[in-house]
Amino acid sequence: MSTKEQRPSAERHDFATQEMLRAMAHPLRLQLMERVGRRGTARAADLAEEMGVAANALSYHLRTLAKAGVIEEAPEEARDRRDRVWRLTQASYHHGQGESWTNDPDATDDEYRRAAMAMSLAAIEWIRTSWIAQSARYEAGEAPQNLAGQLFSSSLRISRDQAEDLARRANDLIMEFNRLNRDERGTDLEGDPDSEGPAEDFRVLFALVGDRPAPDQRMTGGQEDSHTAEG
């Protein structure tokens, strides 16, 4: 998750709608988005085999994402009329508070904020489950020592402007690495051309959370933020 200051474009929903956020507020659906995006296109059967989940269960979640506009059918990739092939409608979404940022005139601030929070918590759970799985492989001796995940945690005492600067820098760096070995739509490039040797899969989460409000804001009850949800 990271901040970005640009406004939504007039041509597409750069910012997620409330319904998109509600659909994405599920760790399995976030994982489906990531798999579909990296494949370029995918069928429920492809994803079920890859993820070890029943195809009928995945079909339900895919339909939920499609209804909200997060994914769409790719009919040119279908073998026949009954064959449903999916792709992302776009590679990433931003979300934040306030009607002018939501790109969703039907959403109220409170409803949109709750949907954004639910999606953020799902993203944290998506990272947590991966961390637990990797820790288990590490303890069982099934993962190389030098591939263990890395976690950095600290408290900072900085101004609001400094926090925004840190978030911008982190976002830019993460997105720079996100574009390695992928095309403009986020699909994995064969042969991992931007890396020496085969690339491997990593999940990353950047979080910057206010520990307590500043004295002059403790009674105002508000703070603004905006986030990027990567598919």
Side-chain angles (χ1 to χ4, degrees):
M1 303 301 116
S2 56
T3 63
K4 195 168 184 178
E5 293 186 337
Q6 71 180 43
R7 298 294 184 178
S9 70
E11 292 78 20
R12 65 174 191 172
H13 291 292
D14 289 319
F15 281 72
T17 65
Q18 181 173 297
E19 290 309 308
M20 286 176 173
L21 290 172
R22 286 174 172 170
M24 290 188 284
H26 192 293
L28 180 58
R29 291 178 199 150
L30 291 178
Q31 190 173 359
L32 282 173
M33 289 172 59
E34 190 252 353
R35 298 296 177 95
V36 171
R38 289 176 51 190
R39 281 173 164 267
T41 59
R43 298 172 176 84
D46 301 329
L47 298 166
E49 181 179 359
E50 185 176 302
M51 298 168 61
V53 180
N56 59 348
L58 288 190
S59 293
Y60 166 77
H61 290 293
L62 288 167
R63 290 194 301 272
T64 299
L65 291 170
K67 184 177 180 181
V70 178
I71 62 174
E72 62 186 3
E73 289 197 57
E76 69 279 4
E77 299 292 333
R79 293 183 289 247
D80 53 50
R81 291 184 179 181
R82 298 175 59 187
D83 189 25
R84 307 191 77 178
V85 185
W86 303 99
R87 65 185 168 210
L88 294 179
T89 55
Q90 63 189 62
S92 64
Y93 297 92
H94 306 278
H95 62 89
Q97 296 178 14
E99 184 176 344
S100 63
W101 284 85
T102 67
N103 207 18
D104 184 358
D106 296 327
T108 67
D109 284 352
D110 287 343
E111 291 173 342
Y112 191 89
R113 187 180 297 112
R114 284 193 289 269
M117 180 61 71
M119 185 272 162
S120 298
L121 293 176
I124 293 173
E125 179 64 16
W126 179 64
I127 293 291
R128 189 186 76 89
T129 55
S130 182
W131 182 271
I132 291 173
Q134 182 172 258
S135 297
R137 291 194 299 271
Y138 180 78
E139 290 297 326
E142 299 172 355
Q145 295 287 324
N146 62 350
L147 286 184
Q150 300 185 47
L151 174 66
F152 303 92
S153 62
S154 177
S155 62
L156 302 174
R157 185 166 177 78
I158 54 179
S159 69
R160 180 68 62 87
D161 288 343
Q162 290 170 326
E164 291 178 353
D165 182 41
L166 172 58
R168 280 192 295 268
R169 293 193 203 183
N171 178 76
D172 291 345
L173 186 59
I174 291 170
M175 293 308 298
E176 175 187 343
F177 279 83
N178 179 268
R179 288 188 288 267
L180 297 179
N181 304 306
R182 291 176 173 170
D183 65 17
E184 64 278 2
R185 290 188 58 85
T187 304
D188 290 355
L189 294 173
E190 186 176 356
D192 302 321
D194 296 318
S195 297
E196 295 181 2
E200 300 180 26
D201 298 331
F202 292 87
R203 297 183 187 183
V204 60
L205 172 70
F206 173 76
L208 185 64
V209 183
D211 189 37
R212 55 185 175 178
D216 60 344
Q217 295 181 350
R218 288 177 183 171
M219 300 304 293
T220 62
Q223 54 183 335
E224 297 180 357
D225 61 6
S226 61
H227 303 274
T228 301
E230 292 300 331

